[in-house]
Amino acid sequence: MTVWEAAPRRRRARRRHLSRGDRVVLTLMAGVPLLLTLSFVWVPALLSIVLSFSSWPGIGGVSSIKWVGLQNYHTIFTIYPQFYPALEHNLIWLAVFFALPAPAGLFLAVQLDKQIRFSRIYQSVLFLPVVLSLALIGFMTELIFSPTQGLLNNLTGHAGQNDMIDWLGNPHLNIWAVLLMACWRQTGYVMIMYLAGLKSVDPSLKEAAALDGAGQWQTFRHVVWPALRPINVVVLVITVIESLRAFDIVYVINQGTNGLELLSVLVTDNIVGEASRIGFGSALATILLLISMAFIVPYLISTFRKDGQE
Amino acid sequence: MTTISTVRPTTDNPTHRPDHRPPRIGRLGLHAFLIGTSVIWLAPLAYALFTALRPYADTEKYGYVSLGGHFGFGNFTTAWTQADLPLYFWNSVIITVPALILTLLLASMVAFVVSRYRFRINIALLMVFTAGNLLPQQAIITPLYKMYQLIPLPMWLSDSGKMDDSYLGLILIHVAFQTGFCAFVLANYMRTIPTELSEAAMVDGASAWRQYWQIIMPLCRPVLAALATLEFTWIYNDFFWATVLMQTGDKRPITAALNNLSGEFFVNNNLISAAALIVAVPTLVVFFLLQKQFVSGLTLGANKG
């Protein structure tokens, strides 16, 4: 805990003022939360990696751990039937989140940023689903897509015995029904991010562009879009993170089976229930961890690099 | 500011002088579009409410898309009493309130140390917290679940005798996980408070703790309010931690408990709609009353990107 050498004199002066008591207090203030985060987030993350090379039924103490090398990974990539469907669904989730809520959120934000009446009301309505939990949205998905009682089949006359469309039971259909509802929530989230970003766009720039005869699209393309760069990064990150975290909605509908498999569900399946396979679950978790780190690390580096230069 | 070069002013042509507002027709079209979108957006909630207001028997008889039969709050009262919703709400309170207070307290301490003092490890420290918050929960659950089963707790803290299946276990994982986001936002905010303020306090002999508690924290009140609103929704809405780390159904917070209830009531969608809407009430109330704080909390984290 030494002061930066390059720190200006003023900061050096402060160092002298830091009494012994202050040092203890500051260390505790940072240390206690750090200890908590390390032990409940980072240690488990590391243990995921370590345990992924083991076989541990979870019954019995730590002594019952057997080290099996890469066997768990081998099993996952060769004979674990749910793995590729889950991976595929996660990728579909990611692709759909990029294709629908991200541009739709941006589009809605741009529309609401024009000085129109009732803008706040529209904003509130579009943002409303974001405060609902994904688990609750899972229940609403059932209300809408359930084959006999659901809104959609009753509205289109497909709720009868013969012409029933089993939206949630058909493994080729259910992922799309779920994604539609997930997008419903995600769009509002993205919209708010962009609205905040648009507020920081200098209005005089837009006026200058308009004076030049730039159309709406040209103004957007050359003035607004470049200014939104930092927000684009944030939207990219929340899109990826939310896609990888997706869990509640499919778990509520059918425990993430029969067409709704996701990596997050496979991890959970291996620890809850009778047969807990800690090593195997950890290997799946490690795969999830590696995918997410591939996005988190570049984001953090770009975010904190500016701080370092200050 | 690279944009300026691409919109270099040219001759001021009066015929090009634009109307800053789109033409009337365009504006009407925009409103029509936004109204349409809003109606679609509200439809799922409106339909849930519509279903919840009708008895199951009536919907069976007349069909789900119909106006026949009675309307009333029967499903709501049945869900409230039969499904033990007060019990689950109380569980949510026991978990959410301490988790929220601890998260804000610890995050503000980290933010204070990191943003008001310069140490070699400042940025690294903040990164540990921020990155932790970005991990998918499922990436750490397997070892965590095992750890929880192995860590003993005194009986007065956990009637299972273990971290597993205890309120404390859930509170701590929420705190550990959410501190990252709050610390990131608070550190960015505290950095904007002038250093002169701390220097003046130091000249007066204020200790580090006094500066934190009596000078910086009062100035952070608006951000703390925003974060409290946001974190309340996130912690209250948690489904995953509670489902995995709380095996006893009766001890689960309400969002996770609803899943068991849907098994119990199975085909009675009307009752489930009512229960789901009751569960959504706290977050909806927070949203409508504290919308400004909610949104600013989210975007405070985003603006510094």
Side-chain angles (χ1 to χ4, degrees):
Chain A
M1 287 252 185
T2 43
V3 180
W4 275 3
E5 255 74 43
R9 189 161 295 150
R10 216 164 51 183
R11 307 226 184 265
R12 278 187 167 272
R14 178 185 296 181
R15 185 191 175 189
R16 267 185 260 121
H17 285 288
L18 270 185
S19 68
R20 205 185 167 78
D22 279 354
R23 276 161 196 257
V24 174
V25 167
L26 290 174
T27 310
L28 280 175
M29 284 170 86
V32 172
L34 182 67
L35 203 67
L36 201 67
T37 296
L38 287 180
S39 37
F40 288 97
V41 178
W42 288 108
V43 167
L46 284 178
L47 282 177
S48 276
I49 302 174
V50 174
L51 288 171
S52 72
F53 302 110
S54 79
S55 163
W56 189 15
I59 311 155
V62 185
S63 57
S64 57
I65 300 177
K66 265 192 306 198
W67 300 102
V68 296
L70 291 171
Q71 194 196 304
N72 289 325
Y73 292 98
H74 188 255
T75 311
I76 289 171
F77 287 112
T78 53
I79 51 171
Y80 189 50
Q82 289 108 310
F83 179 68
Y84 287 103
L87 192 64
E88 193 193 324
H89 295 149
N90 265 108
L91 289 175
I92 292 176
W93 206 288
L94 192 65
V96 171
F97 263 25
F98 270 117
L100 294 177
L106 174 61
F107 180 74
L108 289 168
V110 171
Q111 303 312 313
L112 290 172
D113 194 48
K114 298 172 181 167
Q115 276 128 27
I116 51 164
R117 295 182 69 188
F118 314 122
S119 178
R120 287 203 57 89
I121 298 175
Y122 296 131
Q123 273 179 46
S124 306
V125 169
L126 295 171
F127 190 63
L128 188 61
V130 183
V131 303
L132 303 175
S133 71
L134 269 180
L136 222 54
I137 292 178
F139 291 109
M140 302 183 69
T141 311
E142 290 190 19
L143 280 184
I144 294 169
F145 291 98
S146 144
T148 52
Q149 301 190 359
L151 175 66
L152 200 61
N153 274 358
N154 279 292
L155 213 57
T156 55
H158 283 98
Q161 289 302 314
N162 304 319
D163 54 354
M164 184 181 85
I165 303 175
D166 195 356
W167 293 102
L168 297 177
N170 183 332
H172 298 293
L173 288 179
N174 52 15
I175 185 94
W176 303 107
V178 167
L179 270 171
L180 193 70
M181 295 300 282
C183 288
W184 176 56
R185 180 173 186 268
Q186 186 76 3
T187 303
Y189 195 178
V190 173
M191 183 194 77
I192 284 295
M193 295 295 164
Y194 276 123
L195 263 175
L198 286 169
K199 291 226 164 65
S200 63
V201 177
D202 186 355
S204 64
L205 280 178
K206 277 194 265 185
E207 271 168 42
L211 280 171
D212 268 1
Q216 273 194 44
W217 169 251
Q218 278 175 307
T219 310
F220 176 78
R221 175 72 191 79
H222 295 293
V223 180
V224 178
W225 181 249
L228 286 179
R229 242 194 82 158
I231 302 293
N232 285 333
V233 176
V234 173
V235 169
L236 176 88
V237 172
I238 60 170
T239 300
V240 173
I241 300 289
E242 294 287 316
S243 324
L244 290 172
R245 275 184 186 171
F247 174 85
D248 311 8
I249 184 167
V250 298
Y251 206 76
V252 161
I253 289 170
N254 66 4
Q255 316 264 300
T257 56
N258 190 35
L260 293 182
E261 292 85 358
L262 290 172
L263 290 178
S264 60
V265 174
L266 300 191
V267 174
T268 313
D269 278 349
N270 280 285
I271 48 170
V272 291
E274 297 292 302
S276 77
R277 296 192 291 171
I278 300 297
F280 193 71
S282 294
L284 288 161
T286 303
I287 295 172
L288 191 61
L289 186 71
L290 289 178
I291 300 175
S292 43
M293 279 313 227
F295 292 93
I296 295 172
V297 170
Y299 165 69
L300 285 180
I301 290 173
S302 74
T303 305
F304 283 92
R305 195 167 40 201
K306 275 176 271 165
D307 291 3
Q309 285 166 353
E310 268 172 16
Chain B
M1 292 294 129
T2 50
T3 49
I4 292 173
S5 60
T6 59
V7 289
R8 192 178 294 124
T10 47
T11 47
D12 202 327
N13 186 346
T15 52
H16 265 134
R17 184 163 296 266
D19 194 350
H20 287 291
R21 308 174 136 251
R24 229 182 124 73
I25 297 289
R27 217 137 258 268
L28 281 177
L30 183 57
H31 277 290
F33 167 73
L34 288 172
I35 290 169
T37 313
S38 299
V39 169
I40 295 170
W41 236 245
L42 286 177
L45 270 174
Y47 179 66
L49 184 64
F50 177 71
T51 311
L53 288 172
R54 306 174 71 194
Y56 179 64
D58 283 359
T59 46
E60 276 297 282
K61 192 167 150 201
Y62 300 102
Y64 277 82
V65 185
S66 70
L67 290 170
H70 309 282
F71 286 83
F73 291 94
N75 288 316
F76 289 94
T77 48
T78 312
W80 183 259
T81 49
Q82 276 190 15
D84 282 333
L85 290 189
L87 169 76
Y88 296 116
F89 265 124
W90 179 240
N91 292 342
S92 281
V93 172
I94 295 176
I95 293 161
T96 310
V97 173
L100 192 60
I101 294 170
L102 271 174
T103 302
L104 292 178
L105 198 65
L106 294 180
S108 63
M109 288 180 183
V110 174
F112 174 73
V113 175
V114 170
S115 65
R116 307 300 290 179
Y117 296 86
R118 290 241 163 187
F119 300 114
R120 221 181 261 282
I121 54 159
N122 261 350
I123 293 171
L125 194 64
L126 194 56
M127 268 171 121
V128 167
F129 284 97
T130 314
N133 177 253
L134 293 173
L135 291 178
Q137 290 91 325
Q138 293 83 9
I140 62 169
I141 189 64
T142 311
L144 191 76
Y145 172 76
K146 234 18 241 181
M147 275 165 59
Y148 268 36
Q149 289 179 338
L150 295 172
I151 301 173
L153 282 184
M155 289 312 252
W156 59 269
L157 264 175
S158 150
D159 47 23
S160 64
K162 294 272 188 269
M163 190 80 132
D164 191 39
D165 209 22
S166 75
Y167 293 119
L168 185 69
L170 272 186
I171 292 169
L172 286 182
I173 187 61
H174 281 306
V175 174
F177 207 74
Q178 298 296 348
T179 299
F181 179 79
C182 297
F184 179 71
V185 172
L186 281 164
N188 285 335
Y189 186 82
M190 287 183 190
R191 215 168 277 165
T192 63
I193 299 172
T195 44
E196 283 74 14
L197 213 58
S198 311
E199 273 150 23
M202 249 181 304
V203 171
D204 290 346
S207 65
W209 178 260
R210 223 181 138 90
Q211 287 180 47
Y212 159 73
W213 193 247
Q214 294 192 328
I215 297 169
I216 302 297
M217 280 299 262
L219 289 172
C220 288
R221 234 175 255 162
V223 199
L224 287 168
L227 284 174
T229 315
L230 195 61
E231 290 291 338
F232 167 79
T233 338
W234 284 347
I235 297 173
Y236 176 88
N237 276 343
D238 163 60
F239 174 82
F240 177 71
W241 296 125
T243 302
V244 176
L245 298 174
M246 196 65 121
Q247 278 83 38
T248 309
D250 283 352
K251 291 202 290 191
R252 282 190 178 155
I254 195 151
T255 307
L258 198 61
N259 201 28
N260 309 357
L261 300 181
S262 76
E264 232 171 278
F265 297 127
F266 202 50
V267 290
N268 193 337
N269 259 358
N270 307 61
L271 201 55
I272 293 171
S273 305
L277 286 172
I278 293 175
V279 173
V281 164
T283 54
L284 290 176
V285 167
V286 162
F287 175 65
F288 283 117
L289 290 181
L290 302 167
Q291 197 180 4
K292 223 170 145 190
Q293 275 83 348
F294 191 93
V295 171
S296 67
L298 265 181
T299 50
L300 267 172
N303 269 344
K304 177 76 197 310

